[in-house]
């Protein structure tokens, strides 16, 4: 198992490009199941979740060929429609094959995802949406078994106790593209990754409108064709580099960041004293030597994303005064707190809320990565800490960040990957 060794204290400076968005790539790859024609994707991130999705699609009869950041996918067999627990267990986004398999093949068997480090993650709303389209669904030996003749368009409310569902919207929207008649999804997720998926499906011949709003309308079509598409830049990776610039009091240009996808994040960073300036098609982010405390609540898009909560917390550990962070999407997504405290942070957790009392400095320590974004927060803390931080289990980070240690080293960080073996 690999580790990162970080010697903190270097000011980050320079330019870094963000990779394609992981959370757009995964459902878009799954959408290749909806057509018999070849799909070309560009700008894919080189992360292990993308490789896991490629392996899953291969098992489901898709021929996948990858060259650098591009990929071609083509269905060559429709015989196996079983997404096994082995792969679903590794990556919950595997559930995104459910809607496409059902719509195209009339049958899907997908292992029910279990819990994960960020808390319970049910998929009841996905199933409710697919049932509304006419699917018959039951559970068999831990697998969801779904069958349907042609799905039928209808009106579906997809809101849940924590707002909309991102992959639930993806699943139902993909299934509805091939349904008979019109589907209206109310309380749909508005995330840029859902917009990117809809844009891709429209290139395949789907008729989807209203994307980016909570009301998505899909006119079903008989079949979908191949398409070529470039994935949008990853707003969460961009936010992570913004915090890296801020926490090291550095100055970093991100030439391909989509600031329009990150208004809540930019607003919050500016509010606490970080400079974020538009520059050509990207942005320059700079620390000012002082971080003000703030309050933040994570919410579905366009609110502040839960996927940047841990990274912002790392930054607020060094703010002047007390900050309050409330997690409204995953109330248990706080495994990074105890690790940050090993580095000298002062954080008090009270239910879904963390009160962060700013300290003058963090100190390096051996810490444990627990999930993707928590690990990113520990890397950020390590960049600012005095001394050496060793982050164990970085395979979590490799799931969603493309060569983060190389990108950070190019900006001047002292970070090395070492193989424990
Ligand atoms: N929920 C339900 N029932 C459902 C589905 C969701 O109650 O059927 C709840 C969840 O438990 C959660 C909330 O609704 O409290 C939102 O969950 P959502 O379904 O939107 O999450 P997801 O689609 O499983 C995606 C991202 C996550 C990101 C969340 C929230 C992908 C592949 N994953 O997950 O990304 O945190 O949306 O924005 O798109 C990450 O990249 O690190 C990551 C975890």
């Amino acid at each position: 198992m690999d580790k990162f060794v970080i010697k903190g204290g270097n000011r980050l400076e320079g330019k870094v490009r963000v990779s394609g968005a992981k959370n757009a790539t995964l459902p878009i790859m799954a959408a290749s199941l909806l057509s018999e024609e070849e799909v070309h994707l560009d700008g894919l991130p080189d992360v292990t979740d993308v490789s896991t999705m490629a392996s899953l699609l291969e098992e489901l009869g898709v021929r996948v060929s990858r060259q650098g950041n591009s990929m071609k996918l083509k269905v060559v067999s429709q015989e196996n429609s079983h997404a096994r627990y082995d792969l679903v267990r590794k990556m919950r986004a595997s559930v995104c094959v459910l809607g496409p398999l059902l719509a195209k093949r009339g049958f899907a068997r997908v292992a029910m995802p279990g819990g994960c480090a960020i808390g319970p993650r049910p998929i009841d709303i996905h199933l409710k949406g697919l049932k509304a389209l006419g699917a018959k669904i039951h559970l068999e030996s831990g697998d969801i078994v779904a069958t349907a003749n042609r799905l039928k368009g209808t009106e579906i409310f997809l809101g849940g106790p924590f707002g909309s569902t991102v992959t639930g919207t993806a699943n139902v929207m993909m299934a509805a593209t091939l349904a008979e008649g019109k589907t209206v999804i109310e309380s749909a997720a508005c995330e840029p990754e859902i917009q990117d998926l809809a844009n891709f499906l429209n290139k395949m011949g789907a008729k989807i409108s209203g994307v980016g709003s909570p009301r998505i309308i899909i006119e079903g079509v008989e079949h979908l064709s191949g398409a070529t598409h470039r994935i949008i830049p990853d707003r969460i990776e961009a936010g992570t580099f913004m915090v890296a610039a801020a926490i090291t009091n550095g100055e970093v240009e991100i030439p391909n960041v989509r600031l329009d996808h990150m208004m809540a994040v930019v607003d919050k960073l500016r509010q606490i004293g970080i400079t974020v300036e538009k520059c050509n098609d990207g942005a320059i982010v700079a620390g000012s030597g002082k971080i003000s405390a703030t309050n933040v609540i994570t919410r579905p898009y366009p609110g502040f994303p839960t996927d940047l909560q841990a990274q912002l917390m790392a930054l607020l550990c060094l703010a002047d005064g007390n900050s309050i962070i409330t997690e409204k999407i995953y109330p248990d997504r706080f495994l990074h707190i105890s690790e940050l405290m090993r580095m000298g942070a002062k954080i008090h957790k009270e239910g879904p809320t963390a009160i962060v009392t700013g300290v003058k400095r963090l100190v390096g320590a051996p810490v444990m990565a627990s999930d993707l974004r928590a690990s990113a927060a520990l890397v950020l803390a390590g960049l600012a800490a005095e001394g050496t931080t060793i982050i164990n289990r970085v395979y979590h980070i490799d799931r969603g960040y493309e060569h983060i240690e190389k990108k950070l080293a190019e900006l001047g960080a002292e970070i090395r990957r070492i193989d424990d073996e």
Side-chain angles (χ1 to χ4, degrees):
M1 260 188 263
D2 289 359
K3 294 177 175 184
F4 282 158
V5 179
I6 303 172
K7 194 154 173 297
N10 289 10
R11 183 171 184 266
L12 298 198
E13 262 179 328
K15 211 189 252 196
V16 64
R17 289 186 74 78
V18 285
S19 303
K22 165 183 86 78
N23 289 347
T25 304
L26 300 173
I28 287 176
M29 286 172 71
S32 66
L33 291 165
L34 289 164
S35 171
E36 273 129 62
E37 295 173 28
E38 191 164 79
V39 156
H40 290 216
L41 302 178
D42 290 313
L44 270 69
D46 184 10
V47 298
T48 50
D49 271 8
V50 168
S51 312
T52 306
M53 182 56 92
S55 305
L56 171 60
L57 291 173
E58 278 173 338
E59 283 201 11
L60 298 173
V62 182
R63 190 181 63 214
V64 180
S65 54
R66 182 164 191 168
Q67 245 194 345
N69 295 109
S70 299
M71 189 179 274
K72 291 180 190 165
L73 302 108
K74 184 178 190 310
V75 173
V76 288
S77 159
Q78 301 199 24
E79 249 161 55
N80 180 32
S81 298
H82 184 187
R84 292 179 303 112
Y85 184 52
D86 270 4
L87 287 170
V88 177
R89 187 168 54 90
K90 270 196 196 165
M91 183 185 70
R92 298 181 52 86
S94 305
V95 78
C96 288
V97 301
L98 180 59
L101 284 176
L102 181 67
K104 179 69 180 164
R105 304 184 186 179
F107 174 77
R109 183 171 184 133
V110 176
M112 179 83 147
C116 75
I118 65 179
R121 295 176 72 186
I123 56 160
D124 54 311
I125 306 170
H126 302 225
L127 303 186
K128 175 180 120 178
L130 296 174
K131 279 183 192 163
L133 290 171
K136 299 254 178 302
I137 298 182
H138 69 276
L139 198 64
E140 207 177 300
S141 311
D143 291 341
I144 300 149
V145 180
T147 52
N149 293 321
R150 190 165 179 206
L151 297 169
K152 279 207 172 57
T154 186
E155 286 179 10
I156 307 170
F157 179 75
L158 276 192
F162 302 96
S164 51
T165 157
V166 177
T167 49
T169 301
N171 249 331
V172 175
M173 183 167 75
M174 287 191 277
T177 57
L178 290 177
E180 188 185 327
K182 176 165 139 181
T183 300
V184 178
I185 304 178
E186 273 302 352
S187 196
C190 303
E191 271 69 4
E193 294 76 20
I194 291 295
Q195 299 177 34
D196 204 33
L197 170 65
N199 291 339
F200 172 66
L201 291 167
N202 282 342
K203 288 182 186 170
M204 293 174 85
K207 292 192 174 147
I208 305 173
S209 56
V211 283
S213 83
R215 184 183 173 89
I216 295 181
I217 300 164
I218 305 136
E219 297 282 353
V221 295
E222 296 279 335
H223 88 282
L224 294 174
S225 61
T228 298
H229 187 73
R230 173 168 286 278
I231 306 288
I232 52 167
D234 196 313
R235 64 192 167 104
I236 305 302
E237 188 194 7
T240 304
F241 283 117
M242 287 180 176
V243 175
I247 207 167
T248 62
N249 198 21
E251 185 171 318
V252 171
E253 179 180 350
I254 312 175
N256 64 335
V257 58
R258 288 276 306 262
L259 283 187
D260 56 326
H261 290 167
M262 307 187 60
M263 304 274 282
V265 177
V266 170
D267 189 61
K268 190 51 69 181
L269 289 176
R270 285 180 177 152
Q271 203 185 317
I272 64 174
I274 313 303
T275 306
V276 183
E277 270 174 15
K278 266 194 182 171
C279 163
N280 302 321
D281 287 336
I284 294 183
V285 183
S288 62
K290 182 172 151 39
I291 303 158
S292 310
T294 189
N295 297 341
V296 65
I297 302 177
T298 64
R299 297 194 192 275
Y301 189 83
F304 191 92
T306 172
D307 289 344
L308 281 172
Q309 178 257 112
Q311 299 89 317
L312 184 75
M313 186 184 290
L315 182 60
L316 293 177
C317 285
L318 292 167
D320 269 354
N322 293 328
S323 299
I324 302 175
I325 300 180
T326 303
E327 178 51 75
K328 286 271 192 186
I329 312 288
Y330 298 114
D332 296 325
R333 194 178 203 175
F334 282 123
L335 284 179
H336 40 285
I337 291 183
S338 40
E339 302 304 300
L340 289 170
M341 287 174 73
R342 287 180 50 71
M343 300 177 70
K346 271 198 188 157
I347 306 169
H348 174 72
K349 181 178 161 321
E350 201 60 63
T353 296
I355 300 157
V356 184
T357 302
V359 293
K360 287 263 173 291
R361 65 189 67 84
L362 293 170
V363 283
V367 289
M368 193 71 85
S370 56
D371 75 85
L372 176 56
R373 309 302 172 185
S375 320
L378 298 178
V379 169
L380 294 168
L383 293 175
E386 273 175 13
T388 302
T389 298
I390 299 172
I391 303 177
N392 293 288
R393 298 195 182 170
V394 297
Y395 62 86
H396 286 293
I397 251 197
D398 295 332
R399 291 186 53 185
Y401 287 90
E402 178 176 309
H403 312 307
I404 191 170
E405 77 281 19
K406 287 193 186 136
K407 291 187 180 187
L408 288 170
E410 275 166 25
L411 294 172
E414 210 173 315
I415 174 168
R416 278 184 304 128
R417 179 186 289 264
I418 55 166
D419 183 349
D420 217 10
E421 311 297 312

